[in-house]
Structure formats: structure tokens, C-alpha cells
């Protein structure tokens, strides 16, 4: 009679570093080195694991102290604030038209926001191209 012995080896889950908020960070706060703590714990899917992934970015939602920092909750810092006076830029071929506007939202470079043209009082959408600059299609 042949006896087959099956050994089941249970491996401990791999431990990896996870990045935790060192203090509660409100939405719109720029993450600085003093705001993060590295813990040796299993990281949930989508959570930051190194300080380089979070430092210099802006919290898009409130991040609570002692909790993992989801990468989806971070983004580039806003360069246009709500109610800020901005320059609207319309370019076609060699034509370059600029107008004054007021931002109706906040956004980082590349974000789409709404702007009120101060000359016509009409609302347009555009893409943030730099500090105080919005390109309209």
C-alpha cells in the first residue's frame, strides 16, 4: 500500500511598506515629508508605498491620520484657484486672442475648468495650461 503525504505549506503574507498619513490632511493640502509615515504592514491595493509617490502632490480628498494613502486620492497641485482672475487664450493658426476671465473652479495643469469671460459675461470651458492661464477651444 502506497501512502501519499501532502505537505501544505502556508506562507505568511508578504509584508511590504505602506505609506500612512502622519496627520489629517484636508483636501487641497500639499503633501510634505512631515505629513507621511512609513509602516511595515501589508498595503491595500492602490495605496502608496513610498514617500516619493505622495510628496509634492495635493490631497484631492481628506486623508485621515494613521490610514493608508490611496494614490487615486492624490493629484498634481492646483495652479488655478476658484474665483481667481485668469487669462483666457484662444489660438487658431496664427490668430492669438486673449481675454480676462474668472475661474469658476480650481484645477491643476491639464484639468478642464469653467471660466466666466469678464468681457461678455458668458461661461466657457477650457484647459488649465499654467498658473493663471486657461486655453479655450
Amino acid at each position: 500500500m502506497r501512502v501519499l503525504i501532502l505537505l501544505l505549506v502556508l506562507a505568511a503574507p508578504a509584508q511590504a511598506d505602506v505609506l500612512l498619513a502622519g496627520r489629517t490632511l484636508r483636501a487641497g493640502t500639499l503633501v510634505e515629508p512631515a505629513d507621511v509615515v512609513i509602516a511595515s504592514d501589508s498595503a491595500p491595493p492602490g495605496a502608496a508605498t513610498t514617500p516619493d509617490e505622495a510628496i509634492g502632490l495635493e490631497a484631492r480628498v481628506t486623508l485621515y491620520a494613521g490610514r493608508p494613502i490611496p494614490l487615486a486620492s492624490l493629484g498634481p497641485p492646483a495652479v488655478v484657484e476658484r474665483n481667481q482672475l485668469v487669462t483666457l487664450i484662444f489660438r487658431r493658426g496664427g490668430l492669438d486672442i486673449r481675454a480676462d476671465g474668472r475661474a469658476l473652479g480650481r484645477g491643476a495643469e491639464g484639468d478642464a475648468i469653467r471660466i466666466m469671460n469678464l468681457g461678455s459675461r458668458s461661461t466657457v470651458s477650457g484647459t488649465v495650461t499654467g498658473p493663471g492661464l486657461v486655453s479655450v477651444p
Side-chain angles (χ1 to χ4, degrees):
M1 178 152 108
R2 193 185 272 183
V3 177
L4 180 62
I5 299 175
L6 178 63
L7 293 175
L8 180 60
V9 178
L10 295 176
Q15 293 291 316
D17 291 339
V18 63
L19 201 63
L20 306 176
R23 65 182 180 95
T24 299
L25 302 171
R26 300 180 132 255
T29 303
L30 195 64
V31 179
E32 297 181 6
D35 297 329
V36 296
V37 176
I38 299 175
S40 293
D41 197 3
S42 58
T49 56
T50 64
D52 293 341
E53 293 176 306
I55 293 174
L57 296 178
E58 180 179 277
R60 297 291 186 189
V61 297
T62 300
L63 302 172
Y64 295 99
R67 292 193 184 163
I69 299 174
L71 291 172
S73 298
L74 301 172
V79 293
V80 171
E81 295 293 329
R82 185 178 187 326
N83 287 326
Q84 178 182 339
L85 294 177
V86 297
T87 300
L88 299 170
I89 303 169
F90 175 82
R91 288 190 177 115
R92 281 287 192 279
L95 181 65
D96 189 7
I97 300 173
R98 294 173 181 256
D100 293 328
R102 181 172 304 276
L104 300 178
R106 65 188 309 267
E109 217 168 307
D111 286 350
I113 63 170
R114 293 182 30 195
I115 308 97
M116 180 177 64
N117 181 325
L118 294 178
S120 66
R121 297 284 190 209
S122 63
T123 302
V124 296
S125 292
T127 303
V128 178
T129 56
L133 299 174
V134 179
S135 177
V136 293

